[in-house]
Amino acid sequence: MPTAPRRLLAKLRDLMARDTAPLPDMVRLVAAELVSEVCSIYAMRPGDLLELVATEGLHHEAVGHTRLRVGEGIVGLVAAQGNEMNLADAQNHPAFVYRAETGEDVYASLLAVPVRRAGRTLGVVAVQNRTPRRYDAEEVEVLETVAMLIAESLATLGASDGAAEGAAATMTRHFPGSRLAPGLAVGPVVLHGNSAVPRRLLADDPVAEQARLARAVEHMQRGIDELIEAQLPAGDAPREILEAYRLVAADTGWLKRVNEAIRGGLSAEAGVQRVAGELRDRMRRFTDPYLRERMADLEDLANRLLASLDESGGKAPEPVPAGAILLARRLGPAELLDWHARGIGGVVIEEGSPGAHAVILARALGLPTLGGARGILDTAEDGNCAILDADEDQVILRPKRDLLQVYEHAIETRNARQAGYAMLRDKPSVTRDGTKVSLMLNVGLTLELAQLAKTGAEGIGLFRTEIAMLARGVIVDGPEQAAVYSRVLDAADGLPVLFRTLDLGGDKLLPGSEQLDEDNPAMGWRSLRIGLDRPVLLRRQLRALLLAAGGRPLSVMFPMVATVAEFRAAKALLMAEAARVRPVPSMLSVGTMLEVPALLWQLPELLREVDFISVGTNDLMQFLFAADRGSPALAGRYDVLSPPVLDIFANLCRLADEANVTLSVCGEAASQPLEAMTLVGLGITKLSMPATAVLPIKAMLADLDLPAFRAVLAAVRRTPGNAASLREPIAAWAREHGHSV
Ligand code: PEP
Ligand code: MG
């Protein structure tokens, strides 16, 4: 680092060591060293307001008076977006707002940087000059470092301001979010991530700091390996996820940048925080959800590295009260495992999304998980009571006693119900009159295989092979795929497993994968279409499946088949591989998913070619009704329990029966009690679903008087009128007969 910035950092360090409030001195120093006419600090105030708290160059009367909303003006925009803005002509920027009391109309150029600490925006620091110019990379870097120091001061000041929030801290607050894993939890909250702020920001001896960093990296990597081994006994490990995580840990790119930051005068801790912050800002701008979701992994690693740098050895993690609800802004997979080991009962992740590694793990571990709930981390205090109702997409902080009692009662009832379900585990799955219905699992990660034994499911009706790849972020090579599939067959121990070939594309994208710019990716170049156009990829997977079978029975199905010709082409690739692999499977069944409506008009021909069909209602419904399956605005508008869909199933059932082809349903519909009841009523006796649904559906079936229901269903379907849904009459019968729907 050149001399001027180094001198600035050294002076700032001296300033911060003094007891007096350093902000006015800081702005003076920064303005002088950066040769800027203005340096100002804005601090975040309650109500999402930014207040000018110190300035060199603007009118001093404005201090304590000038306030901007987050999102208002350039400074507000920087706080809202979390990115710096570097403008040669700030006044002509569309976001510029002029506050006369500041006298800033004479300054053309502006560089504004967010002041952040532990992922929270505490304010903004800005420098301005009269002459129009863009600030160079070095000036930006220096101001970012200054922002880290300012964050320390603002955090200290903020702590004393906190007293004003005393009254608000007892009020009940509802935070809406979105369900990432189902379930309910009630307990005290624990806040994640407050420990990651370095105490020492600057260091004199870069060589010693770099040595500390190297030692800490080694320590961190050892710790990760130990965590993985301790938490996840062999065979059960979601290796797909943790391998991806381990790779990020070993990636030298970001560590090299930390070393550079240390050379510039930062301590190892501040270097880690700085680089993690930069990467976070960059990743935030990605539109690719996969890359955005990896942000949490990186932060997880940065926190781990900071803990490893803590030469006091760090404190052993304290146990948390049983069932505590973890609140995190972001969370990485290793962090989730740490917290899980400490006994949490649920998780709220403000920036959580369905594909995030920690979320995939939370789902697999059965932890209720909510995403969103914006603002909860800024409101909650450690130990506050909360109700996490992921099923209703909300978390309630500091609930009143009566509401708490309602939820505690609901949890008790649910636990009693679960205990009742558990007794059903080893009972055969039959309706009250003795009709057998096979219930199977939808699975995507090896971690979920343990659910076979826990639920007593009769096999795996859908193994989504792409999930592991999405979790890893790459298409893994043949031998590694074979190892995963072989573990699945080992765990199934002779029970049937329907492996679905890769269903990538659409919204399931791997980073760097070949992509087309399509208007409708769900209907685009995805799934089997990619497999047929890139047969090397598909053949590699088919070979891996055959090798994994190693002489055992093997069932393979293809997703998104739209024509019989496509099915034939895919099956031909499988057969070509089967002719080369030894030992041959003792039985090879080949089937298709039914997700594309066009197949419904090719059934006689299709049924002559396939051994089985599995209906994917999620995609079938979306294509049948031209309704995006992920659009909340369309949820509930079209119904599986509608005359056209029931006609499709009745017809399919009859034709499959006649052709002696096994028919199952593996879409979402199979896991909903009323839909499952109706599918069974129409004659479908194989349903595949997430593990959580198996025992509740078994319990429903055990109480189902199938002949009586069939008669009612036939009558309801015959009733004239153009009802868009038959849900109501079906539900009325179910309620009358004691089913809770
Ligand atoms: C379906 O479409 O119903 C299905 C089971 O496949 P996925 O949800 O993986 O698209
Ligand atoms: Mg599908």
Side-chain angles (χ1 to χ4, degrees):
M1 190 180 263
T3 334
R6 256 190 178 290
R7 193 176 56 213
L8 169 62
L9 292 187
K11 284 185 179 170
L12 284 170
R13 184 180 45 197
D14 293 347
L15 253 184
M16 291 187 68
R18 294 193 333 226
D19 282 345
T20 49
L23 294 184
D25 291 335
M26 276 177 135
V27 287
R28 207 167 307 128
L29 201 58
V30 174
E33 294 287 340
L34 280 183
V35 199
S36 56
E37 283 132 322
V38 176
C39 176
S40 311
I41 299 172
Y42 295 80
M44 196 67 101
R45 294 287 181 236
D48 274 354
L49 289 170
L50 287 155
E51 180 181 304
L52 180 68
V53 290
T55 187
E56 172 69 13
L58 298 185
H59 294 164
H60 278 277
E61 307 80 78
V63 172
H65 293 287
T66 296
R67 289 181 163 209
L68 294 158
R69 282 189 314 279
V70 170
E72 184 188 18
I74 310 277
V75 163
L77 208 58
V78 166
Q81 296 179 341
N83 301 327
E84 95 241 353
M85 288 184 81
N86 184 351
L87 304 170
D89 183 8
Q91 308 211 13
N92 280 318
H93 188 280
F96 183 82
V97 293
Y98 174 57
R99 290 293 163 79
E101 72 274 12
T102 62
E104 66 179 326
D105 50 332
V106 291
Y107 302 105
S109 44
L110 178 145
L111 170 66
V113 169
V115 173
R116 292 235 290 266
R117 187 176 189 266
R120 263 177 81 179
T121 300
L122 301 182
V124 172
V125 56
V127 291
Q128 291 171 276
N129 283 77
R130 282 172 200 264
T131 352
R133 70 179 184 101
R134 272 178 69 82
Y135 296 84
D136 65 26
E138 191 187 286
E139 288 168 315
V140 175
E141 196 172 310
V142 170
L143 199 62
E144 279 171 350
T145 306
V146 167
M148 282 172 67
L149 299 172
I150 293 173
E152 292 311 294
S153 301
L154 289 185
T156 319
L157 296 174
S160 51
D161 288 356
E165 289 178 16
T170 60
M171 275 166 53
T172 299
R173 294 277 308 268
H174 288 246
F175 294 87
S178 59
R179 179 176 80 165
L180 296 172
L184 265 184
V186 171
V189 302
V190 282
L191 305 184
H192 168 75
N194 284 343
S195 55
V197 180
R199 281 189 301 266
R200 200 165 56 95
L201 293 172
L202 305 171
D204 289 326
D205 183 352
V207 176
E209 284 304 292
Q210 286 174 336
R212 280 181 66 222
L213 179 72
R215 279 196 304 274
V217 168
E218 209 186 295
H219 178 259
M220 171 187 78
Q221 271 158 349
R222 236 186 358 258
I224 291 172
D225 290 345
E226 281 165 14
L227 173 79
I228 293 173
E229 291 314 316
Q231 281 283 302
L232 303 156
D236 244 13
R239 308 238 163 235
E240 310 87 351
I241 289 176
L242 293 163
E243 283 304 323
Y245 176 78
R246 214 194 299 245
L247 285 180
V248 183
D251 181 351
T252 46
W254 69 285
L255 293 172
K256 224 162 90 195
R257 308 232 314 257
V258 177
N259 270 306
E260 274 162 21
I262 293 174
R263 266 199 301 279
L266 295 186
S267 68
E269 287 88 342
V272 170
Q273 197 192 37
R274 163 79 175 277
V275 171
E278 280 169 16
L279 288 170
R280 186 170 51 220
D281 290 346
R282 264 208 334 205
M283 286 169 146
R284 226 183 256 285
R285 279 173 247 165
F286 292 149
T287 46
D288 178 345
Y290 180 85
L291 292 175
R292 284 178 65 99
E293 279 157 356
R294 298 295 79 83
M295 199 157 92
D297 295 20
L298 205 113
E299 219 153 86
D300 179 341
L301 284 167
N303 288 344
R304 227 157 259 279
L305 196 47
L306 289 174
S308 295
L309 279 165
D310 183 352
E311 263 129 45
S312 65
K315 285 178 280 164
E318 285 170 23
V320 295
I325 295 169
L326 176 67
L327 305 184
R329 208 169 297 278
R330 285 173 292 276
L331 198 67
E335 288 169 330
L336 180 93
L337 290 176
D338 276 343
W339 282 107
H340 181 249
R342 290 166 70 184
I344 53 166
V347 194
V348 179
I349 310 175
E350 272 195 4
E351 295 182 13
S353 56
H357 281 155
V359 173
I360 297 174
L361 278 181
R363 252 197 319 266
L365 292 166
L367 281 174
T369 306
L370 191 78
R374 296 272 160 195
I376 190 163
L377 268 139
D378 297 334
T379 314
E381 286 168 14
D382 259 317
N384 281 171
C385 180
I387 297 166
L388 167 59
D389 187 353
D391 297 339
E392 292 297 323
D393 301 311
Q394 62 167 341
V395 53
I396 304 161
L397 187 66
R398 302 184 284 260
K400 295 266 179 295
R401 184 181 291 275
D402 48 353
L403 188 63
L404 198 57
Q405 279 169 353
V406 170
Y407 271 94
E408 280 168 350
H409 181 67
I411 288 179
E412 269 168 34
T413 315
R414 191 195 54 186
N415 290 346
R417 213 169 37 226
Q418 298 288 356
Y421 290 155
M423 286 174 14
L424 281 176
R425 197 195 65 162
D426 298 321
K427 300 245 162 70
S429 167
V430 285
T431 59
R432 204 159 84 190
D433 51 290
T435 303
K436 170 110 195 57
V437 182
S438 297
L439 302 183
M440 297 191 289
L441 289 184
N442 292 351
V443 169
L445 291 172
T446 47
L447 178 70
E448 294 171 280
L449 294 170
Q451 296 296 340
L452 269 174
K454 287 191 186 138
T455 59
E458 292 176 36
I460 296 173
L462 169 63
F463 189 87
R464 292 178 162 110
T465 56
E466 69 280 0
I467 302 290
M469 309 256 185
L470 287 165
R472 280 289 303 269
V474 286
I475 299 207
V476 296
D477 62 16
E480 202 176 321
Q481 285 190 47
V484 171
Y485 307 146
S486 175
R487 272 219 303 280
V488 176
L489 289 170
D490 291 348
D493 198 18
L495 294 173
V497 180
L498 272 56
F499 285 100
R500 178 174 78 180
T501 60
L502 288 175
D503 187 18
L504 290 167
D507 61 342
K508 300 181 201 161
L509 290 177
L510 284 170
S513 58
E514 208 179 342
Q515 266 176 62
L516 307 178
D517 188 13
E518 299 172 310
D519 285 345
N520 298 298
M523 294 191 282
W525 193 60
R526 55 169 283 209
S527 197
L528 184 65
R529 298 163 183 185
I530 300 180
L532 292 177
D533 291 348
R534 299 281 180 272
V536 172
L537 202 74
L538 181 54
R539 287 181 78 142
R540 189 202 301 169
Q541 180 175 36
L542 295 171
R543 192 160 49 243
L545 286 164
L546 289 156
L547 284 168
R552 293 177 279 192
L554 176 68
S555 300
V556 178
M557 64 179 168
F558 300 108
M560 281 291 287
V561 173
T563 67
V564 177
E566 283 177 349
F567 175 77
R568 268 193 212 118
K571 185 174 171 179
L573 292 178
L574 175 62
M575 291 311 170
E577 289 305 320
R580 297 167 50 190
V581 170
R582 293 290 174 272
V584 291
S586 56
M587 194 188 66
L588 181 56
S589 311
V590 194
T592 179
M593 296 280 292
L594 200 159
E595 297 163 293
V596 182
L599 267 195
L600 294 168
W601 282 269
Q602 304 166 66
L603 285 175
E605 207 185 340
L606 182 72
L607 287 164
R608 278 198 292 277
E609 307 262 348
V610 297
D611 298 316
F612 62 89
I613 290 180
S614 184
V615 185
T617 50
N618 309 337
D619 275 318
L620 185 62
M621 288 294 290
Q622 106 163 324
F623 297 130
L624 208 54
F625 290 98
D628 183 340
R629 65 192 257 185
S631 167
L634 301 181
R637 179 174 279 271
Y638 306 101
D639 200 346
V640 171
L641 301 182
S642 59
V645 182
L646 299 197
D647 288 353
I648 285 171
F649 276 112
N651 190 42
L652 194 55
C653 220
R654 184 175 54 79
L655 293 176
D657 243 13
E658 286 168 13
N660 208 11
V661 165
T662 309
L663 179 66
S664 58
V665 176
C666 65
E668 181 75 16
S671 62
Q672 306 299 319
L674 214 55
E675 281 83 337
M677 184 185 286
T678 306
L679 292 170
V680 173
L682 292 169
I684 292 168
T685 53
K686 284 188 189 300
L687 302 174
S688 192
M689 59 198 73
T692 44
V694 172
L695 291 172
I697 295 290
K698 202 183 217 181
M700 179 279 289
L701 292 171
D703 282 340
L704 180 64
D705 178 350
L706 189 56
F709 177 59
R710 278 210 169 118
V712 167
L713 188 59
V716 166
R717 290 181 60 211
R718 272 197 310 270
T719 307
N722 286 328
S725 167
L726 303 177
R727 184 170 294 277
E728 211 21 69
I730 295 173
W733 182 89
R735 277 194 294 270
E736 243 171 64
H737 290 78
H739 294 280
S740 50
V741 287

